[in-house]
Amino acid sequence: MPAVLGFEGSANKIGVGVVRDGTVLANPRRTYVTPPGTGFLPGDTARHHRAVILDLLEEALTEAGLTSQDIDCIAYTKGPGMGAPLASVAVVARTVAQLWNKPLLGVNHCIGHIEMGRLITGATSPTVLYVSGGNTQVIAYSEHRYRIFGETIDIAVGNCLDRFARVLKISNDPSPGYNIEQMAKRGKKLVELPYTVKGMDVSFSGILSFIEDAAQRMLATGECTPEDLCFSLQETVFAMLVEITERAMAHCGSQEALIVGGVGCNMRLQEMMETMCQERGARLFATDERFCIDNGAMIAQAGWEMFQAGHRTPLSDSGITQRYRTDEVEVTWRD
Ligand code: MG
């Protein structure tokens, strides 16, 4: 029964998880939260991760009830993500692997999300909507690859929400997206925003520019409230995501949809996806914030699948990369 330890730190979350044969034994995480109106910069985020990573490692082992001897493999996020945070976490993973004399595995972050979603929900072969601060993709598995059917052509949907939160000086604690979701529940008026679906792809940067201008103008005149804008932004961008997911499901003849990534714990998005799935007689699978927000266990779980399939990352190849597409990895652990 191999146990895999996973390190994740590609953005503002740092997590260390332990997975053994489909069971999450530990999954502690810390989030780097910046003041309202600001985002997180790579250097500061890496400094945050460096300061807490060894405490998290100890916490994960204690929670799992394991020692270093019980760990069979060290998995870490190779990319995609921010360079400095990725690099500082990879250094620790490499060091621990050498100190403990364990094999090392560089994991694609997006595949970590997919494998965690499959493990937690039991979805067998879903069409995946992966939505977060850094990524927006519709993915389906075929012939040993997770194929990208649609994606954003500019910024990620979570980045659009996060940056709008900065305009309104909404708190980043626990996350800007969570606070937008709460404000959106009190929104009453739907402000018309651009709706930008281009085939299977989506675009959010124009919507962000538009709503930044609208906020300045309409809030000053009292035409709408900040809550109305949060509501309108969510309704518009989520409708776009549901549309491209449905199109991919129709194309693949898929009866399952799975939402992963940090934006995936938004209950309004889950509700809209649920409506679409019900209308086509399909099932929706989603997880809560423990597993859809970046975490160590998702890297451990993808690492576990790779380890079982015989993958190993030699030290000489144990770097990081900011750009690492989902479909670059050969998925040898699935039929
Ligand atoms: Mg992510």
Side-chain angles (χ1 to χ4, degrees):
M1 294 211 304
V4 177
L5 184 98
F7 287 99
E8 156 60 28
S10 61
N12 70 331
K13 268 75 71 179
I14 167 93
V16 182
V18 183
V19 168
R20 185 166 58 193
D21 294 337
T23 306
V24 177
L25 299 179
N27 199 17
R29 169 175 69 201
R30 302 273 191 285
T31 304
Y32 175 52
V33 176
T34 59
T38 66
F40 51 91
L41 298 170
D44 299 338
T45 308
R47 204 167 296 125
H48 168 267
H49 291 0
R50 286 197 297 271
V52 300
I53 191 166
L54 294 180
D55 286 345
L56 274 175
L57 174 59
E58 207 178 339
E59 204 178 315
L61 285 175
T62 305
E63 202 181 311
L66 301 179
T67 69
S68 60
Q69 283 159 15
D70 304 315
I71 301 295
D72 296 283
C73 177
I74 306 295
Y76 73 98
T77 306
K78 182 182 175 72
M82 287 176 136
L86 280 171
S88 47
V89 173
V91 165
V92 175
R94 268 198 298 277
T95 307
V96 168
Q98 288 178 89
L99 282 172
W100 296 355
N101 198 22
K102 308 289 177 184
L104 192 62
L105 268 177
V107 172
N108 179 295
H109 177 88
C110 316
I111 290 182
H113 276 295
I114 297 169
E115 295 305 340
M116 192 80 230
R118 291 178 62 225
L119 172 70
I120 297 297
T121 66
T124 50
S125 195
T127 300
V128 180
L129 175 65
Y130 171 27
V131 276
S132 67
N135 294 280
T136 303
Q137 295 180 339
V138 177
I139 303 157
Y141 174 81
S142 171
E143 305 278 323
H144 301 290
R145 300 272 167 181
Y146 284 114
R147 318 247 169 207
I148 302 166
F149 278 75
E151 62 189 319
T152 179
I153 59 170
D154 42 55
I155 59 173
V157 62
N159 190 246
C160 178
L161 294 168
D162 292 353
R163 285 162 67 174
F164 183 60
R166 282 180 227 163
V167 173
L168 294 186
K169 298 281 194 301
I170 293 171
S171 168
N172 291 322
D173 186 14
S175 71
Y178 177 83
N179 293 322
I180 286 183
E181 182 182 357
Q182 306 318 311
M183 285 175 71
K185 289 176 186 168
R186 300 190 297 273
K188 290 186 176 67
K189 178 174 164 181
L190 185 73
V191 176
E192 198 178 328
L193 300 172
Y195 182 94
T196 37
V197 171
K198 298 164 189 285
M200 294 297 288
D201 294 329
V202 284
S203 160
F204 299 107
S205 65
I207 299 176
L208 178 64
S209 303
F210 185 96
I211 198 169
E212 281 172 350
D213 289 348
Q216 282 230 315
R217 205 176 57 244
M218 297 176 78
L219 293 177
T221 60
E223 266 176 271
C224 70
T225 65
E227 284 78 6
D228 292 334
L229 291 173
C230 292
F231 167 69
S232 306
L233 184 57
Q234 277 200 169
E235 294 301 302
T236 305
V237 298
F238 292 169
M240 291 162 49
L241 297 171
V242 171
E243 180 185 331
I244 62 166
T245 307
E246 181 170 27
R247 193 169 294 128
M249 289 173 78
H251 181 80
C252 300
S254 172
Q255 292 302 304
E256 294 181 339
L258 169 67
I259 315 179
V260 301
V263 182
C265 58
N266 186 299
M267 295 309 288
R268 179 57 185 148
L269 174 60
Q270 289 190 19
E271 186 180 37
M272 290 168 74
M273 284 280 286
E274 179 71 57
T275 305
M276 179 272 284
C277 285
Q278 273 178 11
E279 283 172 1
R280 20 184 335 106
R283 262 189 87 184
L284 175 68
F285 296 89
T287 62
D288 62 34
E289 51 83 29
R290 290 171 299 166
F291 303 114
C292 69
I293 296 176
D294 292 348
N295 64 87
M298 68 186 230
I299 301 306
Q301 173 59 15
W304 186 90
E305 295 279 11
M306 294 169 74
F307 181 75
Q308 291 290 75
H311 292 242
R312 302 292 182 269
T313 301
L315 261 188
S316 58
D317 192 30
S318 64
I320 57 107
T321 170
Q322 295 188 40
R323 301 196 179 273
Y324 190 13
R325 283 177 67 77
T326 314
D327 54 11
E328 278 178 55
V329 179
E330 193 182 358
V331 181
T332 55
W333 56 93
R334 286 188 65 176
D335 293 335

